[in-house]
Amino acid sequence: MSGESRRPTPPSPAVIGIDVATASVRVLCVDGQGRVLAEAQADLPPPVRTATGTSEQDARSWWPAVRSALRRTTGALPRGGREVIAVAVSATSGTIVPTGKDGEPLGPALMYDDRRAADLNAEAQRAGSARWDTLGLSVGPTAALGRAVWCLRTYGSALHHVLHTPEFIGRELTGRPVATDWSHALKSGYDARAGEWAHEVFDALGFPPGLLPSVGAPGTEAGTVGPEAAEATGLPEGCSLRLGMTDGCAGQIATGAVEPGRFVGVIGTTYVLKGVSEHLVRDATGAFYSHRHPDGWWLPGGASNTGGECLADIAPARLPALDAAAAAGGPASYVRYPLCRDGERFPFVSGEARGFELGGPRDEADSHRAALEGVAFLERLALERVERLGIPVLGPLHAAGGGSRSAVWTAIRATVLDRPVRVVERAETAFGAALLAATGTLHEDLAASAAAMVHSGALVEPVPAERPALEESYGRFVVALRGRGWLPDD
């Protein structure tokens, strides 16, 4: 009726993803269609790293940073945060903090790259060798498992819990202890296949598993936001806290690669390949391992020592011009393996691997182009290894990371792989955490969350005219790796 006033449409319900990274906390609020409603960031103190391999951060800095970023995010929402129905936390893989009876830290957090317990991790590897072999895992020098044992031996009876970052934040949000997810628990000795902690390993090391949290599936509810946290953050009291995943896993699902056969290649400082398989596949070389998917599938993946680091000596302002010249010049005149470190860990494992060149560049643009192609060759090797292990790779490769912003690099990757590459918007940890917060709240499951909320970017097709030259260079690259004894013949 003309004289009747219409009520304004209430804002849609929203979810929040929290990423507790090494240098900062990032908070992202999105609606059920993946539209960003508000976001904020807060800095963290840099970890203190020493020449002896220790790496520590003040865990007491985490909650103030999370609280501040949440308060600014909810304050920017139309209803001041009342529209937020769920939140999930993701963090670095393997960072732990020893806490006392009251949940307060007994000392600094031991970061994901802390090596102080390398000897204990070697013991853990021996004690659980049969289990790790079945899972295709190894307990590396920086695994959280050994550091948890170190905490017990250091703090003794004062130690009541060893927490990963999300449970530490979860306790602040809910006012009580919360479970961890099986992704963050992996490097602490959790067997996601059997659904249990590696009891024989903990027995051998004299560590009671009760010092670790209970474990649940990512995306399930861990508790609800309590009154004190609601007052401090602007989140509504009773808001659901959902279990997150590690930063790498959250970044993967943020691309929408959440169903079997879907893979994402991430070019950051190093190259990372992650995907989804229906079954656990063991890689005898140890080049990659699997997390457990929230729906019970598996997330095989590996991280190379090669990647965007090969461009680190180039001023960022110069990259667009070099990219343009590399595109205009076409395939490189020589082959380059742009490894900047000693040793490779994926798609093959070799402590002896070193970067090399087969020939030399015509000019700087040719050298730049060869570096981009070299990373693309590593990516093809990685996908071929996955397929040889019986894991299908379907459809376009999803692309994320800083390298995916380069149009010429993406086109090179598509051509080398002979498959389309889809560049994905918002392929970041906080958005992946938001997808997990939406699972079971805004949407039925993770696949439904991804279908509704992930916005795919450009689909980049192979360049047919460049394929013969790149195929020939790739063949030379593989022969050179095998000739040096770094790449197995399988």
Side-chain angles (χ1 to χ4, degrees):
M1 296 176 63
S2 58
E4 207 175 286
S5 62
R6 294 184 178 179
R7 293 182 179 179
T9 303
S12 301
V15 293
I16 281 180
I18 302 172
D19 170 22
V20 184
T22 305
S24 65
V25 169
R26 181 162 172 72
V27 170
L28 184 68
C29 181
V30 298
D31 66 12
Q33 287 71 52
R35 293 180 293 236
V36 176
L37 305 179
E39 55 189 310
Q41 183 173 309
D43 291 337
L44 291 171
V48 178
R49 296 184 168 106
T50 69
T52 60
T54 64
S55 180
E56 301 176 349
Q57 188 174 57
D58 185 359
R60 294 170 298 181
S61 68
W62 295 345
W63 173 241
V66 170
R67 183 179 61 207
S68 171
L70 279 170
R71 170 55 71 181
R72 283 181 284 128
T73 300
T74 57
L77 295 172
R79 298 181 62 202
R82 293 191 302 278
E83 56 268 73
V84 180
I85 64 170
V87 59
V89 183
S90 290
T92 52
S93 174
T95 296
I96 57 172
V97 56
T99 64
K101 189 174 182 179
D102 56 1
E104 288 297 309
L106 296 175
L110 310 184
M111 300 298 285
Y112 55 90
D113 56 347
D114 186 290
R115 302 175 67 89
R116 76 185 65 198
D119 55 340
L120 292 170
N121 281 322
E123 288 185 45
Q125 174 66 38
R126 290 190 293 270
S129 59
R131 185 188 293 266
W132 309 135
D133 186 62
T134 299
L135 292 168
L137 292 174
S138 62
V139 183
T142 61
L145 197 165
R147 284 183 277 117
V149 177
W150 181 92
C151 288
L152 177 61
R153 297 184 181 181
T154 301
Y155 298 105
S157 60
L159 182 69
H160 279 253
H161 289 102
V162 175
L163 303 179
H164 310 91
T165 309
E167 302 97 80
F168 187 83
I169 299 302
R171 181 169 181 139
E172 295 286 355
L173 286 169
T174 65
R176 56 181 57 87
V178 301
T180 189
D181 65 273
W182 58 46
S183 170
H184 282 96
L186 180 73
K187 292 183 180 178
S188 298
Y190 186 74
D191 180 345
R193 184 181 189 184
E196 64 183 19
W197 292 105
H199 53 82
E200 75 280 13
V201 177
F202 291 123
D203 287 347
L205 294 173
F207 184 88
L211 293 174
L212 292 164
S214 58
V215 183
T220 56
E221 187 170 85
T224 58
V225 172
E228 290 186 9
E231 178 67 24
T233 65
L235 292 171
E237 185 175 350
C239 174
S240 178
L241 173 64
R242 318 297 285 194
L243 293 178
M245 299 187 80
T246 61
D247 51 1
C249 290
Q252 173 185 347
I253 66 173
T255 68
V258 300
E259 296 178 304
R262 305 299 178 183
F263 277 76
V264 55
V266 183
I267 297 181
T269 302
T270 61
Y271 175 77
V272 177
L273 178 70
K274 288 180 173 287
V276 186
S277 62
E278 289 189 21
H279 307 290
L280 175 63
V281 177
R282 176 182 170 276
D283 177 17
T285 71
F288 71 82
Y289 64 92
S290 295
H291 279 273
R292 192 97 197 232
H293 188 284
D295 295 330
W297 296 318
W298 294 90
L299 302 173
S304 175
N305 283 339
T306 309
E309 187 176 44
C310 66
L311 307 180
D313 292 338
I314 302 172
R318 298 189 60 232
L319 287 173
L322 280 172
D323 273 5
S333 65
Y334 73 114
V335 174
R336 180 178 172 188
Y337 175 25
L339 174 64
C340 299
R341 314 182 191 196
D342 292 345
E344 184 59 276
R345 54 182 174 151
F346 182 73
F348 58 90
V349 179
S350 172
E352 303 302 315
R354 302 291 186 272
F356 61 75
E357 295 181 350
L358 305 178
R362 294 186 303 253
D363 50 31
E364 188 180 22
D366 195 33
S367 173
H368 181 66
R369 171 85 188 213
L372 305 185
E373 291 177 4
V375 176
F377 295 159
L378 260 292
E379 182 167 60
R380 176 167 164 181
L381 270 177
L383 283 171
E384 288 177 347
R385 174 148 199 83
V386 166
E387 291 178 318
R388 281 200 303 274
L389 289 168
I391 304 173
V393 181
L394 306 176
L397 178 75
H398 294 69
S404 66
R405 292 194 289 269
S406 167
V408 64
W409 206 349
T410 305
I412 289 169
R413 294 165 69 186
T415 307
V416 168
L417 299 175
D418 197 25
R419 74 167 65 229
V421 173
R422 185 178 294 282
V423 181
V424 183
E425 300 173 11
R426 287 284 176 181
E428 56 186 280
T429 298
F431 187 74
L435 290 180
L436 291 165
T439 300
T441 56
L442 293 178
H443 301 290
E444 181 180 2
D445 53 26
L446 181 58
S449 292
M453 299 169 68
V454 176
H455 301 154
S456 296
L459 186 69
V460 179
E461 298 283 352
V463 181
E466 294 187 352
R467 178 145 180 80
L470 289 175
E471 188 71 18
E472 191 270 337
S473 292
Y474 177 70
R476 293 177 63 202
F477 178 74
V478 172
V479 167
L481 290 175
R482 289 198 172 127
R484 288 164 170 80
W486 303 339
L487 184 66
D489 292 326
D490 58 350

